């Protein structure tokens, strides 16, 4: 894969919390299910970067053992994106994985297909509009995790319709969804909208686990000086109910580890119908 210049460095702080949450959820899911892990990523992105930024390498080397580190086996040579991360974790324990991807950028899509991932071909899906995944009947496909990792215009242009849809999808179709959000200022109109939409549509019925990291000023790693980031995992009511304490402990422990590496508080919250307490 020939590297192209990106407006951010893969493996920045936002990627760490997003990929950390994906990794911990994947290992947790594998521990309580025997079926194939089915991962859907309509926003794809680059499958990896080689070599990673030196600052990213240093952080991964400093990171104590955790699911994210286990899913990044070539620290000095490659930083893997979401789809490869999931594949690394699942195949490491000799389990089967199905990964379906899309990206409206032709080069990125070619790179993803060259990695052996399947293109998303659900009825109603438009590869030039990743949000069209909303119109697909995901319950037919026994999805283990749907990742929504949109662009930074998500809050200003798409959040209203997508969040309303998410509440119904997670609850009715029983599809776990991870949403990654970037915001320059949580007190801005876009940031306040995100908080209001969460409170109105997501919190009343869904289990919600989140990791959030604020901007890291004067960082040499592109993509973390301009944006606050939050990764939010949404689970249907009662999903894995007997084992949610295990997931909570995993994410709490990861937030401590990654906070020490980033030298920045990564805030973990767990809230929802089963536990209204905020951690």
């Amino acid at each position: 894969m020939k590297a192209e210049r990106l407006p951010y460095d893969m493996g920045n702080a936002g990627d760490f919390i997003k990929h950390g949450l994906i990794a911990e959820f994947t290992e947790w899911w594998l521990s309580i299910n025997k079926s194939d892990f089915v991962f859907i990523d309509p926003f794809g992105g680059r499958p990896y970067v080689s070599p990673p930024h030196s600052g990213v390498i240093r952080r991964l080397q400093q990171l104590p053992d955790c699911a994210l580190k286990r899913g990044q086996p070539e620290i000095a040579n490659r930083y893997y994106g979401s789809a490869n991360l999931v594949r690394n974790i699942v195949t490491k324990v000799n389990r089967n994985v199905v990964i379906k991807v899309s990206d409206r950028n032709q080069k990125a899509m070619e790179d993803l297909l060259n990695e052996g991932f399947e293109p998303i071909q659900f009825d109603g899906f438009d590869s030039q509009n990743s949000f069209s995944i909303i119109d697909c009947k995901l319950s037919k496909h026994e999805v283990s995790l749907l990742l929504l990792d949109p662009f930074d215009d998500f809050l200003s242009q798409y959040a209203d319709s997508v969040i309303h849809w998410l509440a119904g999808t997670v609850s009715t179709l029983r599809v776990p969804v991870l949403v990654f959000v970037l915001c320059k200022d949580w007190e801005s109109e876009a940031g306040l909208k995100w908080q209001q939409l969460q409170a109105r549509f997501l919190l009343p019925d869904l289990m919600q686990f989140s990791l959030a990291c604020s901007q890291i000023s004067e960082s040499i790693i592109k993509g973390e000086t301009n944006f606050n980031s939050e990764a939010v995992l949404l689970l249907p009511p009662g999903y894995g109910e007997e084992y949610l304490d295990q997931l909570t402990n995993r994410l709490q422990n990861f937030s401590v580890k990654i906070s020490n590496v980033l030298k920045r508080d990564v805030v973990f919250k767990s809230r929802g119908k089963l536990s209204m307490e905020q951690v």
Side-chain angles (χ1 to χ4, degrees):
M1 183 186 76
K2 182 179 179 181
E4 291 187 9
R5 183 169 296 182
L6 298 172
Y8 64 93
D9 288 313
M10 285 184 68
N12 61 44
D15 278 345
F16 264 38
I17 65 168
K18 172 182 64 184
H19 291 147
L21 187 46
I22 290 172
E24 295 295 347
F25 172 80
T26 301
E27 285 196 348
W28 173 79
W29 190 97
L30 292 169
S31 73
I32 64 172
N33 291 280
K34 297 184 182 297
S35 54
D36 295 350
F37 192 90
V38 180
F39 180 66
I40 310 297
D41 184 358
F43 289 89
R46 300 299 181 193
Y48 64 84
V49 64
S50 179
H53 189 285
S54 60
V56 174
I57 295 174
R58 183 167 57 252
R59 285 174 177 174
L60 280 171
Q61 290 171 336
Q62 295 171 350
L63 185 64
D65 184 53
C66 61
L68 174 59
K69 193 162 187 174
R70 289 188 287 272
Q72 298 286 352
E74 303 174 67
I75 291 175
N77 299 315
R78 288 186 179 184
Y79 183 90
Y80 286 107
S82 302
N84 266 318
L85 174 71
V86 168
R87 181 164 63 185
N88 290 343
I89 290 172
V90 177
T91 57
K92 187 178 179 68
V93 293
N94 298 314
R95 295 283 294 277
N96 294 324
V97 62
V98 176
I99 297 178
K100 298 179 183 292
V101 298
S102 186
D103 196 293
R104 66 187 186 189
N105 180 284
Q106 184 177 353
K107 181 63 171 67
M109 189 59 183
E110 289 175 359
D111 291 340
L112 289 164
L113 295 179
N114 287 336
E115 289 291 294
F117 304 128
E118 301 177 28
I120 298 174
Q121 295 180 321
F122 301 150
D123 290 343
F125 183 73
D126 176 4
S127 61
Q128 294 304 303
N129 175 18
S130 299
F131 283 117
S132 63
I133 196 73
I134 289 173
D135 300 320
C136 303
K137 296 180 179 179
L138 297 178
S139 58
K140 288 183 177 181
H141 306 282
E142 298 182 351
V143 175
S144 308
L145 181 63
L146 167 65
L147 172 64
L148 294 182
D149 182 9
F151 307 104
D152 58 13
D153 60 355
F154 168 66
L155 291 179
S156 60
Q157 296 191 31
Y158 301 100
D160 292 273
S161 58
V162 171
I163 297 303
H164 185 270
W165 165 82
L166 268 179
T169 297
V170 178
S171 294
T172 306
L173 302 183
R174 302 193 61 76
V175 175
V177 178
L178 194 151
V179 185
F180 183 63
V181 175
L182 294 171
C183 184
K184 290 187 176 181
D185 180 3
W186 290 124
E187 298 302 317
S188 66
E189 181 178 351
L192 294 174
K193 176 191 289 187
W194 168 238
Q195 297 172 46
Q196 292 165 358
L197 289 170
Q198 280 183 298
R200 182 178 178 187
F201 293 115
L202 303 182
L203 290 180
D205 298 311
L206 307 179
M207 281 301 301
Q208 179 172 316
F209 300 87
S210 65
L211 294 170
C213 182
S214 59
Q215 299 169 349
I216 301 179
S217 60
E218 301 180 0
S219 173
I220 61 173
I221 299 174
K222 289 186 295 184
E224 57 188 36
T225 57
N226 297 326
F227 291 98
N228 303 290
S229 54
E230 184 173 16
V232 182
L233 174 66
L234 303 167
L235 299 182
Y239 189 93
E241 184 173 357
E242 298 177 26
Y243 308 98
L244 286 178
D245 285 348
Q246 298 174 20
L247 180 58
T248 299
N249 290 337
R250 278 178 166 273
L251 295 174
Q252 282 180 318
N253 290 335
F254 175 74
S255 70
V256 172
K257 293 176 181 178
I258 198 63
S259 293
N260 291 335
V261 170
L262 295 176
K263 297 178 174 57
R264 170 84 47 176
D265 284 340
V266 172
V267 179
F268 167 66
K269 290 183 180 179
S270 170
R271 50 194 177 179
K273 205 166 186 179
L274 292 178
S275 173
M276 295 306 294
E277 180 181 0
Q278 292 191 13
V279 180

